[in-house]
Structure formats: C-alpha cells, structure tokens
Amino acid sequence: MGTETLDFKTIKQILSGADSDENLFAEADRIRRSIYGDAVYLRGLIEISNHCKNNCYYCGIRADNTNLTRYRLDKDAIFDCCRKGYELGFRTFVLQGGEDPYFTDDRLCEIVSKIHECYPDCAVTLSVGERSRESYQRLFEAGARRYLLRHEAASEELYGVLHPSDMSLANRLRCLYDLKEIGYQVGAGLMVGAPGQTLDHLLEDIRFMEKLQPDMIGIGPYLRHADTPFGRSSAKCAQGLEKEQKLQLTIRLLAILRILFPYALIPSTTALGTIDPEGRALGLKAGANVIMPNLSPADAREKYAIYNNKLYTGAESAQGIALLRKQVEEAGYRIVTDIGDVKRKDSQ
Ligand code: SAM
C-alpha cells in the first residue's frame, strides 16, 4: 500500500474493514519510523478544572451534570504539578480543562508566563476550549506555543447532533484558524464512534484536516458517561458504536491519519487505553507517537470524569512512568523526554 492509493473510496473501504489491517498498520508504522523513528514523546497532562460552561451532550463535565464534584486547581497547585513533572523528565505541560470562566486571560497568562519563565526548556500547551482571538494572542505572548482544540465534527449536521444550539461549528473552526494564524502549533481531532457518526462523516473530518493541516491530531473512541443526555438515553442512535467496532475503527483511522499526515504528532489516547488494555500499544503500532500521562493531583483525577471508567492510575499516571516505559518498549518503541516539537517537511 502506498499513499498514492489513499483516495477517499479506498479510505472508506479501509475504515469499513474490507482490506487487510496488517498492511495498513505496517505502512503507517513505516511512515512514522521514516520521520520520527521509534520515538514516543511524552506530554504531562494537568487537568486544571472540571468546571465547564458548555453542555456538550457526550461529556461528563458538562455544566448541567449535578452529580459531579467540581474542582479547579489554583496557580500553586498547577506549578506544583509542573515541578513534579519536570523532575520526572517531562518537557511539555498540557493545561487542559473545561471552559471555566474563572480562568480569565489575566489569570491564565500569569500562570503560562510563570511556567515559561521557570522552565524555558519546556513547551506549554493549552487545551481550554473556545476563546476570543485576543485571548489566544495574549496567551501566545505569555509563552503558550501549542493548543489542542478538537474540531469534534467537521459536518455541520453531526456537530449539531453532538452539541446544543448555543455552540457552533463555525466558532470552533474560527478558533482553530485564529490559533494557526497567531503561530500556535495546533491540534484538531474528534471522537470515533460517536452517536450519529457515519463513515462519511469521518471522510468529511479528513477533508477538513487536509485543509487545516494541523500539527497534532487527537482521536479516541467515544465512551459513554451515564450522567449525560447520550448516556441516559436508551435510543439506539444515542449509543454510538459497539466497543470492539470502536476500537478497530479508531486504530484504522489513526493509521490512515499517519499515512495522510506523516509529520503530525498523534497521541495514543487515554480513551484508547480505557476501551482496551492493549489499546495504547495498538495505537502506537498504528502510527501514534505521543503519550500524555496524567500529572494532575491524585484527588483531582477521578473528578475529571469526561467518560465513565477513565484510566488515571498505573501507566496512565506520570508517576507510573517506569511501567509506561516498559509497555512502550514491549510495543517496539522508545520514550524520549525532550520537548518533541513537530517536524516539518521543509525542516528535514
Ligand atoms: N474544553 C476543552 C475543549 O473543548 O477542547 C478541553 C476539554 S474537553 C473535555 C477535551 C476532549 O474530551 C473533547 O475535545 C472531547 O473530544 C473529549 N471527550 C469529551 N467527552 C468524551 C467522551 N464521552 N468520550 C470520549 N471523549 C470525550
């Protein structure tokens, strides 16, 4: 299989399982090794808040979920996570959270610039949702260089199935293009097997990402949370795909994305590890080259429950790095602890 064969008809055929997965994964691995070798980059994930003003129908930290104990980390708690992470070898800190109005530009800029000042050899990545262009600009000036904002669904129709009417695909995309223009390394992505999602929707996602050319692509299986409209509904259309189908489809899409976006940084996500004990390793073998262990304080981790049974101990936690290293080596790769910037075609 070569990249020239990956027209949309072929992609759909691969996603539907009509072709050999073995050839697909071998080609994705070959391309990943030709650019990134066997390196797996680490990002330390700090979940700064589970407060969120939004009401995405799939997400456990949605505003209307009253069964959740809410928390937010203050700046000292965040610096403490960075200090521990730095000692463990992390050189990228990802500050992720719900859209929490507490984190005003002033507060977030102060945190970002302090991390940037204390750890000049580290990258600060933000993943705190949709903000104004001015806000993104200020955060960039404070030292943030990467931003993760999954587009969630490039189809207007599917975006509307997954989100209430006060959220819009147009604003999500505006944010992604603003971030790019400002100079961030940008991450887009989506959940695989989400309620209402078809293979044609995934093709639309690929088409959109071909236009955006993201530096990072985050995909993981959709997982149910009982305290959400989808989680509560017994309707077939609210369920998403079956577990095994979701796993297979995620890994296949991951391999396709590696082939189409050879230079992208692609994580083997926590959701993959949650859906199957082998999920993380399967993701790496299909072309993923990033892992984001959890650096959040132990009592915050279980509260950042975007879906049920989310992993946050063992190799998922930053403290379990020795176990993670072993698992990554068993899969045939090697953890590296440098800043791990995206490589670009013209920089090779
Ligand atoms: N608020 C930020 C944002 O909107 O990008 C970051 C936090 S948000 C919880 C991070 C990601 O979690 C979302 O982009 C979504 O794809 C994923 N997510 C939320 N609920 C999920 C679920 N039930 N299953 C799998 N992934 C989920």
Side-chain angles (χ1 to χ4, degrees), residues 58-59 97 127 129 149-150 152 172 191 221-223 304 306-307:
Y58 47 83
C59 185
S127 179
L149 186 78
R150 290 183 175 181
E152 312 293 1
R172 199 87 182 160
M191 299 176 297
Y222 158 72
L223 297 166
Y304 197 82
I306 52 179
Y307 45 80

Side-chain angles (χ1 to χ4, degrees), residues 41-59:
Y41 299 105
L42 286 189
R43 295 6 182 156
L45 183 64
I46 307 173
E47 293 159 339
I48 62 172
S49 172
N50 71 354
H51 289 261
C52 191
K53 67 178 172 56
N54 293 331
N55 262 311
C56 308
Y57 296 136
Y58 47 83
C59 185

Side-chain angles (χ1 to χ4, degrees), residues 2 11 20 22 26 42 49 53 56 82 93 116 165 184 191 194 220 239 258 264 277 293 303 316 334 340 347:
I11 293 173
S20 144
E22 227 172 284
L42 286 189
S49 172
K53 67 178 172 56
C56 308
C82 294
F93 304 118
H116 189 54
S165 58
Y184 283 91
M191 299 176 297
Q239 305 301 312
R258 168 57 65 209
K303 297 184 192 130
E316 264 336 289
R334 179 181 52 96
S347 66

Side-chain angles (χ1 to χ4, degrees), residues 75-292:
K75 60 177 189 268
D76 291 334
I78 296 174
F79 298 146
D80 205 40
C81 295
C82 294
R83 190 179 47 72
K84 290 193 182 119
Y86 194 86
E87 283 164 12
L88 287 166
F90 287 84
R91 294 296 177 267
T92 294
F93 304 118
V94 182
L95 274 47
Q96 184 170 80
E99 292 196 14
D100 179 355
Y102 169 86
F103 284 104
T104 57
D105 291 347
D106 284 349
R107 285 203 176 100
L108 210 46
C109 283
E110 188 194 340
I111 293 166
V112 169
S113 59
K114 172 114 186 262
I115 300 174
H116 189 54
E117 198 182 294
C118 294
Y119 304 104
D121 54 336
C122 294
V124 183
T125 304
L126 293 175
S127 179
V128 286
E130 298 173 23
R131 300 175 81 97
S132 68
R133 185 179 176 117
E134 294 68 38
S135 172
Y136 291 145
Q137 183 70 49
R138 281 190 62 190
L139 292 163
F140 188 81
E141 280 155 20
R145 286 292 174 273
R146 303 176 185 158
Y147 205 103
L148 306 180
L149 186 78
R150 290 183 175 181
H151 63 281
E152 312 293 1
S155 143
E156 195 79 66
E157 171 249 326
L158 180 60
Y159 194 90
V161 171
L162 300 174
H163 302 96
S165 58
D166 60 345
M167 296 179 73
S168 77
L169 177 60
N171 196 48
R172 199 87 182 160
L173 302 192
R174 189 272 303 158
C175 290
L176 283 163
Y177 284 108
D178 278 350
L179 289 162
K180 226 180 158 178
E181 278 168 28
I182 290 168
Y184 283 91
Q185 289 173 34
V186 171
L190 58 119
M191 299 176 297
V192 179
Q197 186 188 61
T198 63
L199 294 186
D200 286 320
H201 289 132
L202 294 178
L203 297 185
E204 265 188 77
D205 290 317
I206 293 174
R207 265 188 211 106
F208 162 67
M209 289 192 276
E210 285 187 330
K211 267 192 250 142
L212 178 73
Q213 287 296 318
D215 302 288
M216 290 131 359
I217 304 177
I219 64 158
Y222 158 72
L223 297 166
R224 183 179 165 273
H225 190 296
D227 297 315
T228 59
F230 287 147
R232 275 190 295 272
S233 171
S234 56
K236 184 88 189 84
C237 58
Q239 305 301 312
L241 292 181
E242 295 296 325
K243 187 174 156 186
E244 189 54 33
Q245 285 177 301
K246 265 191 298 208
L247 174 65
Q248 278 175 350
L249 190 55
T250 306
I251 308 281
R252 282 182 196 135
L253 180 61
L254 211 153
I256 288 168
L257 292 171
R258 168 57 65 209
I259 294 168
L260 295 176
F261 301 89
Y263 290 87
L265 290 161
I266 304 180
S268 194
T269 53
T270 304
L272 252 181
T274 301
I275 200 172
D276 188 286
E278 289 300 309
R280 273 254 152 109
L282 292 172
L284 293 177
K285 290 179 188 170
N289 61 343
V290 171
I291 292 188
M292 298 167 65

Side-chain angles (χ1 to χ4, degrees), residues 306-319:
I306 52 179
Y307 45 80
N308 292 134
N309 307 316
K310 178 168 161 268
L311 289 186
Y312 52 85
T313 56
E316 264 336 289
S317 78
Q319 289 70 17

